[in-house]
Amino acid sequence: MDEYRSPTQLLADAAAINVSMTTFLARCEVAGLIDFEAQQLHRSLASIGRCAETAMALLAHHRRNLHGHRTAGAKDVANDCASTQGVSPSAVQRAIGVVEKLGQLSEIDAAARRGELSTRELELIAGAAAHNPTQQQRLLDAKAGGLTA
């Protein structure tokens, strides 16, 4: 991390990203793109989506911890996050479990925050690396070489 972001700064950053994305979509006309440009745009948007998924997992984990993971509030957090994201509560619970592993997996955590891993890839790679953290880079290299989830 370059610097600490206060809650106010984080909320302002998220609002700015939302405005940027909605403005982008309002102006998005893909008909004039050649294939290479369309491919590049698709890759960029996929990375943005993966970053958003990672951020939502981090937030779900944080919210669960605020409510205590063994309380009824934790179930409510999973349900609330699930309905906000349009996923199942079990998907939120899996994401929370992955975030718990990331504390010991700095290389995988960094790759996730760069938008390099889908939710499923993050789940698989973090799960494998949790058993042998020294293999983080090897697992990330395998993913880059064509590992599919």
Side-chain angles (χ1 to χ4, degrees), residues 24-104:
F24 168 80
L25 287 172
R27 298 176 182 165
C28 186
E29 181 53 58
V30 298
L33 297 176
I34 63 172
D35 186 53
F36 174 76
E37 293 166 333
Q39 184 181 43
Q40 292 301 107
L41 181 57
H42 192 261
R43 285 184 178 146
S44 292
L45 291 173
S47 179
I48 291 166
R50 291 187 298 266
C51 286
E53 289 173 353
T54 298
M56 287 186 283
L58 292 166
L59 287 168
H61 179 262
H62 175 69
R63 289 185 62 205
R64 195 271 320 255
N65 286 346
L66 288 174
H67 290 276
H69 69 281
R70 299 211 184 268
T71 67
K75 184 177 180 183
D76 293 339
V77 167
N79 287 330
D80 181 57
C81 291
S83 66
T84 301
Q85 293 173 236
V87 299
S88 68
S90 63
V92 173
Q93 293 291 5
R94 285 193 311 274
I96 289 170
V98 169
V99 170
E100 290 173 348
K101 293 174 185 161
L102 290 180
Q104 305 300 316

Side-chain angles (χ1 to χ4, degrees), residues 4-16:
Y4 172 76
R5 304 293 288 169
S6 73
T8 302
Q9 290 169 319
L10 288 174
L11 290 170
D13 288 350

